[in-house]
Amino acid sequence: FFIAYFTNIFSPNGVGMDLYSLMFIIDLASILVFTFTYYYIQGSESGSIITSVQNNLLPGPFVLVLFIIILLMIADRVCYITRSLRAKWLLTVTMTLCVMIGYVCWVQSVEPTQQSLGLAFFLVKLLYLFVSCIQLRKGYAIERRHDPFTHDHEGILLWVGYQAYRAVPFLWELRVTIDWSCETTALRFPWYLVVEDMYDIIYNRYVAIVDTEEQQAVFGAPITRGRKVLDGVTRIGIMIFVIVFPLFYYSSFNPASVTNGVTSAVVTVGFDQSSTIFESSIVSIEPYPGNLGRWLQNTRPGLRPFDTADPQKSSQLVNLGSCSNDLWGVSPQGLRRMNESLLAAMANQSSVTLSLQLELQRLASTGDTTGNAQLLVSTYEMPYVSAKLMYAALNASPENGTVITVELPNFYRPIILNQPSSAVDFSAADGDNVDCTMQLRTEFDANIQTMVRYWCLKCNSLFSYSNFPNSSFPEWLCLTQGIGCDRFNFEVKSTVYSPTSMYFAVISDRIPETIAFLPNIGIIALYTTFVLAIGRVFRSLVSGSAQQAMYQYMADPEPVDKLVRYIYVARAFGDLVLEESLFFELIDLLRSPETLLTITKPFPKHFRD
């Protein structure tokens, strides 16, 4: 029984059957099904491969199984090229055992309610194994089919499939390399590629002849309007779309654009970049009740180039705590260094700086390497009076209720322009820095039964009396109607000081919502990658054809087609001497344009009389 079984498998009767194309298509389908149902196979309904790709982190088992499937596809191709039924039988048995064992283990580990979509992958693999068994039963054909598309020159779907097959990166190259590596041939690899290229040229020439007969059946007849619309207008539309699409995508006309607001903020003030004296986080972030962008632009002319009054831009007022989140504790050595720095500044021997760091978290960003997080850092050089007050505050007697105020004129810039690529603080020509005061407070903490010290920070408001103007404010007509704004230029310092807790006014541009296949990489990066790549494809389609005119415009490619097919037949039957001889005939023919013209006939001959 076993002898008869293996004899029947390894020595089938008949001329064989070529089912490789069908098995390859089923394998491709299994890859797609496995990719989109991986998390269901795993027993999870929450994840997706698209999300994993966007996060740049793929599951390890997914990559491993995908790699194994590709290796099995290569092994199947090797069996097909070598026509080895023994290797094909071993591969089929091994895959059958792996699929059955994997299915049993999977059914035991996944809940029945989650098995519906995951079952599709195993069904596709069973279909592949069924076709493989038919291939074993019929045997491999001696002369294999070159590909599943080029046997018919008139089918539009077959032509589209062939162009897609040639366009997929590495697919054609991998197929040719595997064939040459496993096949018995007398041709070197560059010679082998010449034969494959000629096969491609001949097929495209056959398709062009059929297409020409449809477009221009009679010599000298004009091209039909329908053909011009199909070939001309369609390409014009595609090129215009590729050129203009990024402009609309990154414009205010994009209906998918969303508000890009600030979600969190933390402010840190440090002394000479060595000691943190103040740190505060958000108390509240809320949309501004009025048209803050317009009001700021009316009272700060330097904002007009940024068009903050645009109604599509959103406004937020970020309010921070007036006192530091942490107690101020400094070692004796640290206090001594601070005093030395302040004394040197008071003697004009050096300068003392305060560093202000604002860490923002935004909803989205485009073309920014820092992502949604943005860190704005600025330095403030303390004037003599501020250094003197700071020195007095550090060395005051720590008594309960002691409050010492340090004036900080022109301390920071409170207006933040939240642009799609990055957030920047607005700096006008006249400064527009806000005056602030810092206070070192000393209190008795009943919980720990000791004296504690902490810093508080207050700054001048955006408008005359507060951050929220009303009709009683002198600049109200300027804010609401733009009347008399020359008298209310807040870029020039006002004598009125209305302290409030530290704040930031954020004016945010809208940002295009991320598309799954088109990340927010920025308009310049999009043009230099996506648009440029498509432009090169179009350039290759409309130029360079004159260099191969003698091959691409053969009136009758059948003689060259027969010569190429004779090379395939000689190779299939193992006559390597004949294969190489025919290849040399092909090369000599291609090297002689006159001979090629003679056997393929002058170009007008393919027109009907």
Side-chain angles (χ1 to χ4, degrees):
F1 172 78
F2 289 103
I3 295 176
Y5 169 76
F6 285 105
T7 301
N8 185 42
I9 291 179
F10 301 149
S11 302
N13 297 322
V15 295
M17 181 180 292
D18 194 340
L19 297 175
Y20 175 77
S21 297
L22 179 59
M23 290 188 291
F24 180 77
I25 293 174
I26 296 174
D27 268 333
L28 288 182
S30 70
I31 290 179
L32 294 176
V33 171
F34 177 73
T35 299
F36 291 103
T37 63
Y38 169 75
Y39 282 95
Y40 294 96
I41 295 175
Q42 196 183 32
S44 173
E45 297 181 357
S46 58
S48 71
I49 290 298
I50 296 178
T51 304
S52 300
V53 172
Q54 292 176 344
N55 295 331
N56 295 320
L57 183 62
L58 295 175
F62 167 77
V63 176
L64 179 61
V65 174
L66 199 63
F67 175 67
I68 293 175
I69 293 176
I70 294 175
L71 289 182
L72 292 175
M73 292 176 66
I74 294 175
D76 197 13
R77 180 72 184 182
V78 173
C79 296
Y80 175 65
I81 295 301
T82 59
R83 299 198 298 271
S84 176
L85 291 176
R86 289 180 173 83
K88 178 63 177 176
W89 176 84
L90 181 61
L91 178 64
T92 304
V93 171
T94 303
M95 291 183 63
T96 302
L97 293 176
C98 292
V99 170
M100 293 297 102
I101 294 174
Y103 175 76
V104 172
C105 296
W106 175 72
V107 168
Q108 298 296 325
S109 61
V110 177
E111 294 294 332
T113 57
Q114 299 177 347
Q115 294 179 3
S116 56
L117 291 177
L119 189 62
F121 172 70
F122 293 98
L123 293 177
V124 174
K125 297 308 293 184
L126 287 178
L127 178 61
Y128 167 83
L129 294 174
F130 174 75
V131 177
S132 294
C133 292
I134 297 178
Q135 182 71 83
L136 285 172
R137 178 186 175 187
K138 299 294 184 179
Y140 287 117
I142 297 177
E143 184 182 0
R144 67 177 186 273
R145 179 183 294 181
H146 184 272
D147 57 74
F149 308 106
T150 56
H151 61 278
D152 186 1
H153 306 145
E154 298 183 6
I156 183 64
L157 295 179
L158 294 177
W159 179 83
V160 172
Y162 180 72
Q163 299 304 320
Y165 156 71
R166 293 278 296 189
V168 174
F170 300 108
L171 181 58
W172 181 84
E173 294 84 353
L174 186 61
R175 194 272 295 173
V176 172
T177 305
I178 294 173
D179 290 358
W180 181 81
S181 301
C182 301
E183 197 170 19
T184 302
T185 177
L187 303 185
R188 301 175 186 175
F189 187 62
W191 299 355
Y192 197 92
L193 293 178
V194 170
V195 179
E196 294 295 323
D197 283 341
M198 283 307 304
Y199 186 92
D200 175 68
I201 292 173
I202 293 169
Y203 169 73
N204 286 318
R205 184 61 198 138
Y206 275 125
V207 173
I209 291 175
V210 174
D211 192 47
T212 301
E213 292 177 352
E214 295 177 356
Q215 292 188 55
Q216 192 182 25
V218 180
F219 186 76
I223 304 300
T224 62
R225 291 184 179 180
R227 197 66 194 189
K228 286 190 174 183
V229 171
L230 181 62
D231 288 348
V233 178
T234 303
R235 294 182 181 181
I236 293 174
I238 294 175
M239 286 186 281
I240 292 178
F241 174 79
V242 172
I243 294 173
V244 179
F245 170 74
L247 300 179
F248 278 96
Y249 180 72
Y250 286 101
S251 72
S252 57
F253 289 120
N254 185 356
S257 60
V258 295
T259 301
N260 182 26
V262 172
T263 58
S264 65
V266 177
V267 172
T268 303
V269 178
F271 182 86
D272 252 357
Q273 299 182 353
S274 60
S275 174
T276 299
I277 59 177
F278 178 85
E279 181 176 348
S280 180
S281 55
I282 287 178
V283 173
S284 65
I285 293 184
E286 53 189 14
Y288 198 76
N291 192 344
L292 179 61
R294 180 184 176 188
W295 293 354
L296 291 176
Q297 183 170 307
N298 288 346
T299 55
R300 292 162 176 82
L303 285 172
R304 291 173 184 171
F306 301 97
D307 195 18
T308 58
D310 186 351
Q312 292 195 0
K313 297 184 179 182
S314 60
S315 305
Q316 293 175 294
L317 189 65
V318 179
N319 296 307
L320 302 171
S322 59
C323 294
S324 179
N325 295 335
D326 301 324
L327 298 176
W328 186 58
V330 61
S331 65
Q333 294 82 0
L335 183 60
R336 183 168 59 251
R337 286 194 298 270
M338 293 177 67
N339 284 327
E340 292 174 353
S341 299
L342 291 170
L343 289 173
M346 292 162 59
N348 292 326
Q349 297 176 354
S350 64
S351 61
V352 176
T353 60
L354 296 179
S355 63
L356 175 65
Q357 293 187 0
L358 171 62
E359 184 177 353
L360 295 174
Q361 188 69 27
R362 306 183 296 155
L363 288 175
S365 64
T366 60
D368 185 17
T369 56
T370 60
N372 299 345
Q374 187 79 36
L375 181 63
L376 303 178
V377 181
S378 60
T379 58
Y380 172 76
E381 184 174 342
M382 297 180 65
Y384 171 82
V385 176
S386 300
K388 184 177 180 180
L389 292 174
M390 177 73 75
Y391 180 81
L394 297 180
N395 296 278
S397 176
E399 298 179 357
N400 187 20
T402 301
V403 177
I404 300 178
T405 302
V406 179
E407 297 179 358
L408 301 175
N410 302 324
F411 179 58
Y412 83 108
R413 297 185 287 268
I415 301 176
I416 303 297
L417 302 176
N418 184 18
Q419 301 167 345
S421 59
S422 62
V424 296
D425 50 3
F426 167 69
S427 177
D430 296 326
D432 196 36
N433 285 22
V434 173
D435 298 336
C436 298
T437 55
M438 291 191 71
Q439 294 180 341
L440 180 60
R441 297 185 178 183
T442 304
E443 294 181 4
F444 179 78
D445 191 336
N447 294 325
I448 58 177
Q449 296 295 313
T450 186
M451 303 293 293
V452 296
R453 294 197 295 178
Y454 57 94
W455 290 91
C456 294
L457 179 62
K458 289 192 174 184
C459 301
N460 199 12
S461 59
L462 282 171
F463 304 104
S464 294
Y465 306 131
S466 72
N467 290 331
F468 301 94
N470 54 51
S471 57
S472 64
F473 280 46
E475 67 271 22
W476 183 248
L477 288 178
C478 170
L479 298 178
T480 56
Q481 303 179 25
I483 300 176
C485 293
D486 294 339
R487 296 183 295 111
F488 300 101
N489 184 359
F490 286 99
E491 291 176 1
V492 180
K493 295 304 167 191
S494 174
T495 57
V496 179
Y497 181 69
S498 302
T500 183
S501 60
M502 197 175 189
Y503 62 89
F504 288 93
V506 182
I507 309 297
S508 300
D509 294 331
R510 296 182 69 84
I511 190 170
E513 191 173 9
T514 302
I515 302 177
F517 65 92
L518 190 62
N520 277 330
I521 59 177
I523 187 170
I524 296 178
L526 185 61
Y527 265 101
T528 55
T529 54
F530 174 74
V531 176
L532 184 60
I534 295 182
R536 289 181 175 178
V537 172
F538 271 97
R539 177 63 59 83
S540 64
L541 294 177
V542 300
S543 63
S545 59
Q547 299 175 1
Q548 296 184 344
M550 68 178 76
Y551 312 130
Q552 294 182 348
Y553 294 96
M554 294 181 291
D556 182 15
E558 185 176 358
V560 185
D561 182 26
K562 288 182 177 180
L563 183 56
V564 171
R565 293 185 182 276
Y566 292 160
I567 294 176
Y568 289 140
V569 173
R571 183 188 304 156
F573 283 90
D575 193 342
L576 303 185
V577 175
L578 179 58
E579 177 197 19
E580 193 165 13
S581 300
L582 292 173
F583 173 75
F584 290 151
E585 290 290 336
L586 176 64
I587 293 299
D588 290 339
L589 177 63
L590 299 179
R591 291 173 60 212
S592 175
E594 188 66 29
T595 305
L596 185 64
L597 177 63
T598 300
I599 69 170
T600 59
K601 302 177 183 179
F603 188 70
K605 293 298 182 182
H606 69 76
F607 286 94
R608 297 174 186 171
D609 294 335

